[in-house]
Amino acid sequence: MPRRRLLHLLAVVALLGQMAFAMVTTAVQQSPTIDEPVYVATAEVYRQQHSLRYNPEHPPLGKLFLAAGLAFADAKLDPAYQGDQTRLGRHLLYESGNNPFRVMLLARLPIILLTLLFGLVVLAFARDLAGGLGGLLALALYAFSPDVIAHGSLATLDVPAAGLLLVAFWTAWRARRRPLVYLPFAGAALGAALATRMNVLPVVPLLVLLAGVSMWKAQADRPERRRRLLLAGGAALGVGVIAVAVVWLCYLAVDPRLRWTTPANLAHPGGLTGLAVELLPFPQAYRDGMLLQFTFENRQFNGFLLGEAYRGSRWYYTPVALLIKTPLGMLALWAAGAITMLVLPRLRAAALYLLPVSAVLLLVTMTGARNFGTRYVIFLPMFLAVAAGTLALLRPRWAHLTTGVLVATVAAGSLMTFPTYLPYSNIAFGGTSNTHNNLHDANVDWGQDLPRLSARLKTAYPDEKVWLVYKGAGVPSYYGIVAGDPFDVPEQQVRGLLVVSDSRVALATGRLKRLIESSTPVDEVGHSITIYRR
């Protein structure tokens, strides 16, 4: 093997190796986040009971990935249990005699593996555009992304959906040379993304259109314009048909009989929206799941941004959250890469497969009702890492030097936040320790730090009275945390340690706000839980 190829391979192994270590360490140390028990319990119902009745607002493929890991857990689950999906998750993890550490780790491992595989797609896509150096640059940005590491280590659906979408656009790009080989993969990957999360639906027309463009380009040597148009149209249609077929296959994999009953209280929006949902060529469970998502979007949720709590949503929330949660060097490289793709003539065609999808999904997210986290735009560290890889094509030496320095700052910031990636923020906004003053929920405190809290209380505050206000899906007592509820007694009796999840601090009103204001902060745990003395 030539020396250059060996060094390239060693660099890839090193980047993905540190990422794997970071994700596994994070997965082992964290309690279940708020969403995970629902997905894990639903996956177990899929595996044991072949029923679609839980969590219909999300398609099944992501949870089937979790089920692949859970197959080794030998988890017990009462088939007669009748609670809702939130209670089902608690029942599986804490009330059925299962080991929640083992169950959660086995559910998280398939997502960790997928996240690493998507890193190879980032590498391959950027290498197609900018050679080996460009591939390594893109992979480095991906592998050191705090958001990707944080959510790639959780049993959730955000990273799988975004990664599968990246596969779809990469294979559509490769189809410009070998359409018969790559377009079927593009359709399958698009269908897999649709079967994981419904938020990818807005870019389906774009991918289908690009499939046609790729076929058109592949037939450039054919003089017959009409034939080229027919082939391009057929390619677009074929990709769409394959995607639809994959969605159906995922539902059939859970329940071959597709037993599904529409919820009695499911609201129907009517009008063009309702008609569009009814016309989707997907199973009834998928369409009803979309109606549930519309129901969520019609609600008002609590938001928190730059120290201000509010009700509802703000269109600029996601861009500001990205500015806070993304390493500064990464932001600069994303922007420089996008500009490079637009300026260099040889890259403009490739830009169509990276930049519009990023812009469309970002704009859709900005109009959403839930200002909960940058996890909703986790596709950006994937697609824009590929765009940044094109900086390797720039000729000036200073450009390479600047790029190298910026990548080094990204890596340093990522390594310094280990192993608390979820609450990461960049130094311009005070760093990881200050994220809770600017953001809440999945950006900083998603209920993940019960094991760390337990260890801190036992080592630093033994035998002290503890009052706990926890926001999350874990059960504190399981982790050895013995605490009272400060809402169950008169305020003057709340003395000792007041431990509060930072998401609850951010939205504190009434009694909790008074308790916090009359206490002194003395410690923090995982940059997501604050300990006060009162």
Side-chain angles (χ1 to χ4, degrees):
M1 179 181 292
R3 183 180 178 184
R4 181 173 294 183
R5 289 183 61 188
L6 177 61
L7 291 174
H8 185 276
L9 178 61
L10 290 175
V12 171
V13 171
L15 288 170
L16 291 179
Q18 72 81 30
M19 189 183 198
F21 179 80
M23 289 191 294
V24 172
T25 302
T26 301
V28 169
Q29 294 185 0
Q30 293 186 156
S31 50
T33 58
I34 290 176
D35 286 5
E36 284 183 291
V38 172
Y39 300 145
V40 171
T42 300
E44 195 62 24
V45 170
Y46 287 175
R47 196 179 70 83
Q48 294 188 20
Q49 303 170 25
H50 303 285
S51 171
L52 292 162
R53 67 184 183 276
Y54 287 109
N55 198 231
E57 63 267 31
H58 293 298
L61 182 56
K63 289 159 286 186
L64 289 173
F65 291 141
L66 308 186
L70 291 170
F72 299 95
D74 193 28
K76 302 180 183 68
L77 181 62
D78 181 4
Y81 188 78
Q82 295 298 317
D84 63 23
Q85 60 187 25
T86 300
R87 293 177 180 176
L88 177 72
R90 182 187 181 107
H91 177 71
L92 172 71
L93 293 176
Y94 300 105
E95 300 170 356
S96 300
N98 300 311
N99 182 336
F101 283 101
R102 174 178 168 80
V103 171
M104 289 306 307
L105 179 60
L106 288 171
R108 288 166 171 170
L109 285 177
I111 306 304
I112 292 173
L113 178 59
L114 280 174
T115 305
L116 295 172
L117 291 175
F118 295 145
L120 293 177
V121 176
V122 168
L123 171 73
F125 202 163
R127 186 171 181 171
D128 285 350
L129 303 181
L133 183 60
L136 287 179
L137 170 57
L139 179 60
L141 290 183
Y142 175 85
F144 286 116
S145 168
D147 263 357
V148 174
I149 293 173
H151 294 284
S153 61
L154 299 176
T156 54
L157 312 178
D158 304 291
V159 169
L164 289 166
L165 199 61
L166 177 70
V167 174
F169 279 85
W170 170 55
T171 49
W173 162 255
R174 282 206 153 191
R176 293 167 67 90
R177 292 187 177 179
R178 301 177 66 186
L180 296 182
V181 173
Y182 287 106
L183 284 180
F185 285 106
L190 176 62
L194 287 168
T196 302
R197 280 193 68 114
M198 297 172 184
N199 64 342
V200 304
L201 274 166
V203 297
V204 170
L206 178 60
L207 192 281
V208 169
L209 176 63
L210 288 174
V213 170
S214 292
M215 177 60 83
W216 173 271
K217 177 65 176 177
Q219 304 297 319
D221 57 339
R222 293 180 179 271
E224 308 92 342
R225 185 180 181 87
R226 183 177 178 182
R227 179 177 175 82
R228 289 179 68 190
L229 282 173
L230 288 174
L231 288 172
L237 179 62
V239 165
V241 169
I242 292 172
V244 170
V246 169
V247 174
W248 277 90
L249 286 173
C250 290
Y251 277 87
L252 289 168
V254 176
D255 181 5
R257 293 185 288 172
L258 288 180
R259 293 164 296 178
W260 169 254
T261 302
T262 299
N265 58 348
L266 181 62
H268 196 286
L272 291 177
T273 300
L275 179 61
V277 172
E278 290 301 321
L279 291 177
L280 286 174
F282 299 137
Q284 186 66 45
Y286 192 105
R287 286 178 277 141
D288 286 348
M290 281 204 67
L291 296 180
L292 282 171
Q293 289 288 357
F294 284 127
T295 300
F296 297 148
E297 288 298 309
N298 289 330
R299 296 178 186 172
Q300 282 198 330
F301 298 92
N302 292 316
F304 182 77
L305 182 64
L306 298 177
E308 181 185 355
Y310 56 91
R311 186 75 174 166
S313 62
R314 297 182 175 178
W315 67 267
Y316 54 84
Y317 171 86
T318 299
V320 174
L322 279 169
L323 288 176
I324 297 171
K325 295 279 294 174
T326 307
L328 296 176
M330 189 175 292
L331 288 170
L333 291 170
W334 286 357
I339 292 171
T340 299
M341 295 197 76
L342 294 174
V343 170
L344 292 184
R346 62 183 286 191
L347 294 175
R348 287 174 187 163
L352 294 174
Y353 296 77
L354 288 170
L355 304 185
V357 55
S358 302
V360 168
L361 289 178
L362 176 60
L363 289 172
V364 170
T365 304
M366 289 168 61
T367 65
R370 286 163 279 191
N371 291 174
F372 288 162
T374 52
R375 66 188 182 91
Y376 292 106
V377 287
I378 200 68
F379 52 85
L380 289 176
M382 301 181 184
F383 282 85
L384 295 185
V386 177
T390 62
L391 293 172
L393 295 174
L394 299 180
R395 293 182 179 275
R397 186 173 180 179
W398 63 264
H400 288 189
L401 179 62
T402 303
T403 299
V405 170
L406 291 176
V407 172
T409 65
V410 171
S414 179
L415 294 173
M416 288 174 65
T417 201
F418 173 86
T420 53
Y421 292 95
L422 198 65
Y424 171 86
S425 69
N426 61 52
I427 58 174
F429 290 89
T432 302
S433 62
N434 194 53
T435 314
H436 67 280
N437 289 319
N438 293 314
L439 299 164
H440 81 317
D441 206 79
N443 279 321
V444 56
D445 164 36
W446 217 11
Q448 72 271 17
D449 275 324
L450 287 180
R452 292 191 182 105
L453 175 61
S454 176
R456 183 67 54 82
L457 292 175
K458 290 175 182 177
T459 56
Y461 308 98
D463 304 321
E464 292 205 42
K465 177 63 177 177
V466 177
W467 303 89
L468 178 63
V469 181
Y470 167 69
K471 178 184 177 182
V475 175
S477 60
Y478 179 85
Y479 301 89
I481 299 171
V482 180
D485 185 344
F487 297 103
D488 284 346
V489 300
E491 289 183 35
Q492 61 270 22
Q493 293 186 22
V494 182
R495 296 180 179 276
L497 299 179
L498 177 64
V499 181
V500 189
S501 294
D502 284 338
S503 289
R504 295 296 300 271
V505 176
L507 303 176
T509 59
R511 181 172 185 168
L512 179 57
K513 186 176 182 180
R514 292 194 302 270
L515 289 171
I516 291 173
E517 290 177 345
S518 58
S519 305
T520 302
V522 295
D523 204 350
E524 59 82 27
V525 177
H527 305 299
S528 73
I529 298 173
T530 301
I531 300 177
Y532 301 87
R533 188 174 295 283
R534 190 170 192 277

